[in-house]
Amino acid sequence: MSYIKTVFTLSCIVGGVALLLSLDIFQRQRHQLISLISKDLKDIFRGPGSQSKERLFTLDELEKYRGIAGSDIYLAILGQVFDVTKGRKHYGPDGTYHFFTGNAGTRAFVSGDFSQQGLKENLDGLSLKDIQGIAGWVDFYHQQYTYIGKLVGHFYDNNGNPTEAMGEFENLLKQAKQKQKEDDEDLRRFPPCNSENKVGVSRRLWCSENSGGIRRDWSGVPRQYFQPGNSQARCACVRDKGPPSSGSSTSNNGDLDNPNMKVYDGCEPTATSCNFKD
C-alpha cells in the first residue's frame, strides 16, 4: 500500500511540474529542460504519429527558435524548415550562421548578402548556377539535419501546398540541370588547356591527353574558344584529326574548322604548346 501511495505522490508532483512548465511565464525553463532531452524521447513526447505529420510555421513562429535561452534552433530554406539544434555551435547565438536561424533567407545562401535586406525569399535575378546552389543547400540540410515542416509564405501556402514561386523555382532548376548537362558535354568535346604562368616572364598554354582533367585518346591543339552564350573566350584543346564532332562535314580536320575557334596570336596553328611573353 505504501508503494502505491509513493507512486501516486510522485505522479502528482510530475504532473504539477509539467502543468507549471506549460505556462508562458516558464517558457525559458521549459526550453532549457527540452534541450536536455534526447531526440528519441522528444519524439515520444510529441505523441504518436507526430513524425508522419508536417508542421506548418508562420514566420512569427519560426522566429521563436533561434537558440535563445536554450531553445531549439530552426532554419528555413526554400520554404522547408529544418531542426539544426545539434549544430548549436554553428547556428546558436554565438555561431557563425546564427543570422540564418528563425528567418526566411533563401537568397542569402547564394548571394553572400547577409544583411537584413539580403535575408529574403525573392529569387529574381539569380543565375541558373545560383538556383543549383540553393538546391544543393536543401539537399545538404536533408542529409545532415532533421526536416520538420514548411514555412507558410513565399514557397508554400496556408495549407502547405507549393505556390507559384515554388513552381518557378522548379522550372529554373530544370533549366539549370539541362545547362549543366550541356556544359559538361561541351567540356568533354572541347577540354580546357593546361596553363602555366610565370608572373612578369611568360605564359604557356598546352594540350595533352589529360588536359583539363579529361582523359581521352587525343591531345589536340590550343584555341581560343568563343562558346555561344559566354562573353569571354576560354582556352580549349581542339581535335585536329578525324571528322568534326558535329555537323555533316566530311572534313578530316577534326574541329579546327569550327567557326567559334580562333588561333592564338603568336602561336603556330599546328602547335600543341604555345608560349607567350608578358
Side-chain angles (χ1 to χ4, degrees), residues 13 24 49 56 64 74 82 88 90 94 128 130 141 144 161 169 180 184 196-198 217 230 242 252-253 265 267:
I13 293 173
D24 288 341
L56 297 181
K64 299 176 182 177
Y74 295 172
F82 297 89
R88 188 178 295 274
H90 306 291
D94 298 323
L128 292 180
D130 290 331
Y141 283 107
Q144 299 296 324
N161 297 316
F169 176 85
Q180 183 65 58
D184 290 344
E196 180 182 54
N197 288 303
K198 293 183 179 180
D217 58 4
N230 285 353
N252 195 43
N253 295 327
D265 292 338
C267 184

Side-chain angles (χ1 to χ4, degrees), residues 116-218:
Q116 198 58 43
Q117 291 74 23
L119 289 170
K120 55 186 179 181
E121 299 288 76
N122 190 302
L123 305 181
D124 292 346
L126 293 183
S127 67
L128 292 180
K129 186 176 181 180
D130 290 331
I131 296 298
Q132 276 190 297
I134 291 172
W137 276 111
V138 173
D139 288 343
F140 167 79
Y141 283 107
H142 273 292
Q143 293 171 11
Q144 299 296 324
Y145 295 97
T146 303
Y147 168 76
I148 55 176
K150 296 173 180 174
L151 177 64
V152 173
H154 194 68
F155 295 108
Y156 293 98
D157 63 20
N158 292 331
N159 296 315
N161 297 316
T163 62
E164 184 177 332
M166 177 59 82
E168 292 175 357
F169 176 85
E170 292 174 345
N171 286 332
L172 287 172
L173 184 58
K174 287 181 181 178
Q175 294 178 38
K177 290 180 177 179
Q178 179 60 34
K179 179 67 164 55
Q180 183 65 58
K181 180 180 178 181
E182 293 172 357
D183 287 346
D184 290 344
E185 292 174 351
D186 191 74
L187 282 175
R188 287 192 292 271
R189 185 163 55 249
F190 304 124
C193 308
N194 293 313
S195 65
E196 180 182 54
N197 288 303
K198 293 183 179 180
V199 180
V201 180
S202 65
R203 179 187 180 211
R204 180 189 175 209
L205 299 173
W206 76 99
C207 294
S208 65
E209 293 185 358
N210 193 39
S211 55
I214 299 174
R215 292 186 177 278
R216 53 196 187 276
D217 58 4
W218 53 275

